[in-house]
Amino acid sequence: MRMSSACRYAVVIASALASAPAVAAGQESPRVLSMEDALTLARGGNPALRRALNDADLNAAESRTTWFNDLLPRASLTLFNTSFTGNLQRQGFDNFGNPIENPTADWNYFSQTVHNLNLSWSFQGLSLFQSHRRQALANRDRELAYVEARSGLDVDVQRLYLDALEQKDLLTFEEELIEARETDLDVAERLFGLAGRTRVDVLNAELEVERQALTHEQQRASYERSLLALAAAMGLEDGEEFDVADEALPLFDPSGLDASALISRALETNPTIRRSEVAIASADLGVHEQRTNWWPRIGLGVDVYRRAFEPQGGALFDPSIGSDLESQFRITLSLPALNDFFSQRLGQQEASIQLSNQRETDRESRIELEGTIRGAVLDLENQWASLRISERAATIAGEAVRLAREEYRLGTRTFEDLRSAFQQEAETRRGVITARHSFVDALLSLEQAVGAPVRPGAAAPAGAR
């Protein structure tokens, strides 16, 4: 015999009460994360963003290296450069330089220890300034790479968070539908008890309850998968359970957005465009470097050293540095313009072509960005129109279900008609949830292209410039 609806609820409540102490004793409630919490965790734990941050940490070290290696003299100190040498000469020379047999041919041994301090500095044309400029451009590119990675991560995390929120809203809606199907089952049972309906209606109502329970479990799995994707983006490793907070969606009428103004704004804020500008500056610097590589290279150097030279091993590891000091100062001048003239001309042409190609790449990126923004604005407007239509359709479908239930109670509508009505109403309500989140997804695509928030009342992200 089938259990009544009231009995089923009593069993469920009793089971929940019986398991409540175990849950309270062994498990804690999942942590609820807001959107800002998710962004904070992702900025600190996402592996890709941390790699970009690690790359940016090279800026300080490379800048110091550039200063000491290219802009300041190099210093080297060599201590205890010790050697021990043996020499056997079986041939000598007479007073006129003629070779003769050495009458005292024997091994001669001697040793030496040299301590040397060297200072050297060299430059070619504007190489000192060009090295500093190239390092500054490399530092700037790493900084913008981090900004680009963080901007992309923020959009990805927001998408994943809102996807989890969408799945949660759908899960809540499926739970509501279970209650609605239970209500329809109770109505069918009462009407059957009054001989107003057949047993077939009761069985069909039971089938709808089971179908809705299955849909609910499938939706729960979708929600859990969305949480796993969000946890991966945040870089969580401990498998901690969490839930997303019920945050208001940024829904607004996008008709006031000006695509041309957004394009102008994007050309100043979009990280990809800003990195392209750095690439052009780097290519332009390469042209200047090639044009000046024929300039004379000047080298300056100073050596101060002490040399101890003794027979046998008397000078091995000699620590004294206060006597027999020697020093020399040198200036060298080389003219690379006389070396490999055609290779230099080829290098200059290659640098010019690279600059031209980089400018074309930048122009291509700007054209694509303009098309992306205009298309994103159109998508946002279409999503807003779809949302309005979906909301209107849900209102109509809800009224149709209410009337269908009344007609079913009065006996003027079959259960099949009722099932068709509430399935249509369920689809329209799901469509509203999907349309709301599709609008936000289109908004995120637009903001990603612009490189800054465009929603009303949104402030520019910190560190955007």
Side-chain angles (χ1 to χ4, degrees):
M1 183 174 179
R2 185 180 178 277
M3 187 183 304
S4 66
S5 178
C7 292
R8 289 198 308 273
Y9 286 138
V11 171
V12 172
I13 294 174
S15 300
L17 292 176
S19 61
V23 173
Q27 298 180 355
E28 296 181 357
S29 299
R31 181 169 55 149
V32 178
L33 297 180
S34 65
M35 175 78 77
E36 190 60 35
D37 294 335
L39 290 173
T40 301
L41 289 173
R43 291 165 184 168
N46 182 267
L49 185 63
R50 294 179 67 174
R51 286 196 298 268
L53 182 60
N54 292 337
D55 291 340
D57 288 340
L58 288 173
N59 288 353
E62 286 193 357
S63 296
R64 288 193 299 269
T65 302
T66 300
W67 272 98
F68 282 99
N69 287 352
D70 297 332
L71 304 181
L72 298 177
R74 296 187 180 184
S76 63
L77 178 63
T78 303
L79 299 176
F80 296 101
N81 185 3
T82 298
S83 63
F84 183 82
T85 306
N87 189 339
L88 174 62
Q89 294 185 354
R90 297 186 181 276
Q91 190 178 50
F93 298 92
D94 59 15
N95 295 332
F96 300 100
N98 298 315
I100 61 175
E101 183 180 356
N102 189 354
T104 59
D106 199 359
W107 282 97
N108 297 313
Y109 297 96
F110 55 91
S111 59
Q112 68 173 353
T113 297
V114 178
H115 307 287
N116 180 50
L117 173 63
N118 171 262
L119 295 176
S120 61
W121 188 43
S122 65
F123 61 93
Q124 181 182 13
L126 302 176
S127 62
L128 300 180
F129 304 99
Q130 292 169 346
S131 297
H132 177 71
R133 175 60 177 164
R134 181 161 295 282
Q135 184 59 52
L137 290 174
N139 293 348
R140 182 58 176 163
D141 185 67
R142 288 196 188 98
E143 293 171 356
L144 291 176
Y146 172 74
V147 172
E148 184 177 23
R150 175 169 170 171
S151 176
L153 176 64
D154 286 351
V155 172
D156 291 340
V157 170
Q158 289 181 75
R159 276 202 174 98
L160 292 172
Y161 186 95
L162 291 171
D163 178 64
L165 189 58
E166 178 182 6
Q167 301 306 319
K168 182 180 180 181
D169 291 342
L170 289 172
L171 180 62
T172 302
F173 172 65
E174 300 300 341
E175 293 173 353
E176 295 175 357
L177 287 183
I178 291 180
E179 297 178 1
R181 299 297 84 81
E182 289 282 1
T183 301
D184 295 332
L185 176 58
D186 290 340
V187 172
E189 289 175 338
R190 287 197 300 269
L191 292 177
F192 174 68
L194 297 174
R197 286 291 185 271
T198 65
R199 180 64 177 170
V200 175
D201 285 359
V202 176
L203 294 176
N204 285 333
E206 288 183 3
L207 180 60
E208 289 302 315
V209 172
E210 297 300 328
R211 286 177 175 174
Q212 185 56 43
L214 177 59
T215 303
H216 176 264
E217 289 305 315
Q218 292 173 342
Q219 183 57 44
R220 182 183 297 278
S222 298
Y223 176 53
E224 292 176 354
R225 285 195 298 269
S226 67
L227 292 180
L228 290 176
L230 178 59
M234 293 188 296
L236 300 183
E237 300 177 357
D238 54 3
E240 176 187 359
E241 294 185 359
F242 65 92
D243 199 357
V244 292
D246 296 327
E247 297 198 2
L249 299 181
L251 303 175
F252 63 94
D253 186 355
S255 59
L257 295 177
D258 184 358
S260 298
L262 292 177
I263 292 172
S264 299
R265 184 180 179 186
L267 295 178
E268 298 178 357
T269 59
N270 185 278
T272 302
I273 297 299
R274 294 162 67 190
R275 290 191 69 185
S276 179
E277 294 172 351
V278 173
I280 291 177
S282 180
D284 183 64
L285 178 59
V287 172
H288 287 83
E289 289 173 339
Q290 289 295 327
R291 289 176 179 175
T292 59
N293 64 359
W294 60 268
W295 288 22
R297 174 171 289 277
I298 300 175
L300 305 175
V302 177
D303 290 287
V304 179
Y305 56 90
R306 186 264 180 186
R307 186 195 309 272
F309 190 83
E310 300 290 344
Q312 299 299 323
L316 288 176
F317 300 103
D318 188 347
S320 60
I321 59 174
S323 60
D324 299 335
L325 291 176
E326 301 179 38
S327 65
Q328 65 177 1
F329 174 77
R330 63 183 181 277
I331 299 178
T332 59
L333 179 66
S334 61
L335 300 175
L338 304 179
N339 302 328
D340 206 357
F341 172 79
F342 292 102
S343 294
Q344 293 182 17
R345 294 292 298 175
L346 176 61
Q348 293 175 13
Q349 187 173 4
E350 290 175 344
S352 298
I353 292 176
Q354 184 178 359
L355 175 59
S356 298
N357 290 340
Q358 190 59 52
R359 285 173 174 165
E360 291 302 322
T361 300
D362 177 74
R363 190 170 70 90
E364 181 182 30
S365 299
R366 292 170 183 267
I367 293 173
E368 291 178 353
L369 179 63
E370 179 178 355
T372 299
I373 291 178
R374 293 190 184 277
V377 171
L378 291 176
D379 290 341
L380 192 64
E381 293 174 348
N382 290 335
Q383 292 296 339
W384 178 255
S386 298
L387 175 58
R388 298 274 72 83
I389 295 174
S390 298
E391 291 175 342
R392 178 58 181 163
T395 301
I396 295 173
E399 181 65 17
V401 166
R402 187 186 67 81
L403 295 176
R405 283 196 174 102
E406 291 294 332
E407 293 175 358
Y408 177 73
R409 290 188 180 96
L410 296 175
T412 59
R413 184 180 289 267
T414 66
F415 187 82
E416 291 297 325
D417 296 334
L418 177 61
R419 181 170 58 182
S420 176
F422 61 60
Q423 285 180 348
Q424 185 175 2
E425 190 261 350
E427 289 301 321
T428 56
R429 290 182 62 184
R430 292 189 187 102
V432 171
I433 296 175
T434 301
R436 289 165 62 87
H437 287 272
S438 296
F439 175 86
V440 179
D441 187 70
L443 174 63
L444 291 176
S445 297
L446 176 59
E447 292 183 341
Q448 185 175 24
V450 175
V454 301
R455 65 193 70 177
R465 292 298 295 175

